[in-house]
Amino acid sequence: MRNSIQALSDELRRLKEAGVKTLPVSEASVKALAAAVRRRAGASAPAAPAPAIRPARVAAAKASPAPEPAAAEPKASLPPPPAFELPAGDKPSRWAALGDRVRGDPTCLAHVRPGKKIVLGVGNLDAKIMFVGEAPGADEEIQGEPFVGAAGQLLNRMIAGMGLSRGDVYIGNIMNWRPELPLGPGGTQVGNRPPTPEEMAYCLPYLRAQIDIVSPALLVALGATAAQGLLGAGTFKALGEIRGQWREFQGRPLMITYHPSYILRNQSNRSKRVIWEDFLKVMERAGLAISGKQRGYFLEK
Ligand code: URA
C-alpha cells in the first residue's frame, strides 16, 4: 500500500507541475484514500494526525452515482520502444502496413479504453510540411484521427492562412493513444494530461516511421511537449527559449512553435502574430509564395 500511495503522490505532483489543477475524484475514492493514509500514518507514527483529503467535485459524484472510477494506480512501466521494419513498397502500402502495426501493438491497445481508437497521423503522403502534435484528446480518440477537436479546427484555419488545406500537409502526434487519467464520475475521462517522457519514447518509433514514409521537407513541432518528445526532455526549460527557432530532427529542419491550444487560451492578435511569424518562416523555408496580405496577418492591434 505504501508504494501505491507513494506512486500516486508522485503522479499527482507530476500532473501539478504539468499544469493540471483539478482531477475528478469520487467520494468512494476519497474515503479509500483517506483510510489508506490513516493506516499509513498509524503504522509509522501513531500520534500523527492523518492528512486531510478534500474531494474535488464530490458534489458531481454525489449527483450522479456512477461506476467506481478506474483506479488511479499508475500503469506498470512500458516495455522498450518497438523495433520493426516496414515492408518495401510504395508510400501507401508502407503507410498501411505501419497502420496495421500500430493498431495491433499490444501496448497501444492496452492503453486505449474500450470503444476508443488508436490514433495514427493523417494527410498527404507527399506533403512537404509535417505538423507534429502531442497526443490525442477526447475527440481524436473517438475518431481515430489527430487534431479533429477545437485545437484541430484552429490548426486547419492556420493551414488555410498559409494558402494550403489539411489535405496538403501531414499531421501526426508523438503519442498514439490518449494519455490516461482516472475516469470521472460519468465513467469517462475528463481532461487531458501531457504524456510522460517514457510514453513518448515508446511511441516515437511510430512517428519516425511516418517521417520516413512521407519524407517531408520540414517538420513543425506544436507546443512544448511535442518539442520535448522530439528533442529530448530537458533540452529547454520554457518553450519561449526555443520557439521560432529551427532545430533538426531525423535530418530535417524542425520549427518549434506554440500548440494551437495556446491561441485558444490567448486570443489576442499579439499571440496570434507570434505563432504566425513562425508559420511565415515555415512557408519561406518550404518555398511557398507569401502575399503581402499574408505577411501582415495579425499586425493590427
Ligand atoms: N492536441 C494534440 O497535440 N494532438 C491532437 O491530436 C489533438 C490535440
Side-chain angles (χ1 to χ4, degrees):
M1 179 59 80
R2 191 188 182 290
N3 285 345
S4 310
I5 291 178
Q6 187 61 52
L8 175 60
S9 143
D10 290 345
E11 179 65 4
L12 290 174
R13 193 168 299 115
R14 197 187 65 71
L15 288 171
K16 190 175 169 197
E17 279 164 13
V20 175
K21 295 210 169 54
T22 59
L23 285 175
V25 184
S26 76
E27 198 161 20
S29 300
V30 169
K31 278 188 189 149
L33 275 170
V37 171
R38 270 196 302 277
R39 274 198 301 279
R40 183 179 160 191
S44 55
I53 299 177
R54 274 178 286 111
R57 305 203 206 160
V58 165
K62 269 186 189 157
S64 55
E68 181 58 16
E73 300 270 324
K75 297 253 178 204
S77 64
L78 297 170
F84 58 94
E85 262 186 47
L86 291 177
D90 59 12
K91 288 185 176 192
S93 62
R94 294 180 77 217
W95 188 76
L98 176 65
D100 290 344
R101 176 83 176 62
V102 178
R103 282 185 282 272
D105 179 317
T107 302
C108 293
L109 286 168
H111 287 267
V112 173
R113 293 210 161 97
K116 301 297 191 290
K117 294 185 178 161
I118 286 170
V119 179
L120 187 70
V122 285
N124 191 327
L125 296 184
D126 291 318
K128 266 191 169 175
I129 302 174
M130 183 186 286
F131 291 95
V132 180
E134 171 182 326
D139 297 303
E140 289 76 20
E141 70 167 358
I142 290 171
Q143 296 189 38
E145 184 170 330
F147 283 100
V148 291
Q153 303 305 316
L154 178 54
L155 179 60
N156 290 349
R157 291 202 293 280
M158 291 157 74
I159 293 168
M162 300 169 89
L164 301 173
S165 73
R166 191 171 163 103
D168 293 322
V169 300
Y170 191 90
I171 304 176
N173 273 322
I174 307 250
M175 292 295 299
N176 300 104
W177 69 79
R178 181 183 185 192
E180 301 120 299
L181 283 172
L183 295 178
T188 54
Q189 178 170 331
V190 181
N192 296 310
R193 69 163 168 86
T196 63
E198 190 192 19
E199 288 170 329
M200 291 197 283
Y202 185 85
C203 291
L204 200 56
Y206 292 139
L207 182 75
R208 285 184 177 280
Q210 292 168 81
I211 296 170
D212 271 346
I213 294 170
V214 177
S215 194
L218 53 92
L219 303 161
V220 183
L222 300 169
T225 309
Q228 263 163 3
L230 296 177
L231 298 174
T235 317
F236 58 93
K237 284 207 180 81
L239 186 66
E241 288 168 28
I242 59 163
R243 191 234 96 233
Q245 296 178 17
W246 288 104
R247 296 293 164 108
E248 206 185 274
F249 184 75
Q250 213 156 302
R252 281 152 226 280
L254 167 70
M255 169 54 63
I256 314 288
T257 191
Y258 286 117
H259 193 279
S261 59
Y262 169 80
I263 299 296
L264 293 177
R265 293 191 302 270
N266 302 276
Q267 294 273 349
S268 68
N269 267 4
R270 202 159 152 240
S271 310
K272 289 178 188 165
R273 179 68 197 179
V274 170
I275 193 168
W276 183 246
E277 283 177 5
D278 300 343
F279 273 57
L280 287 174
K281 289 181 191 165
V282 170
M283 289 173 74
E284 265 162 21
R285 189 121 184 198
L288 297 176
I290 307 178
S291 68
K293 190 175 167 197
Q294 283 171 314
R295 285 203 188 277
Y297 282 167
F298 310 118
L299 273 180
E300 71 281 11
K301 296 277 175 272

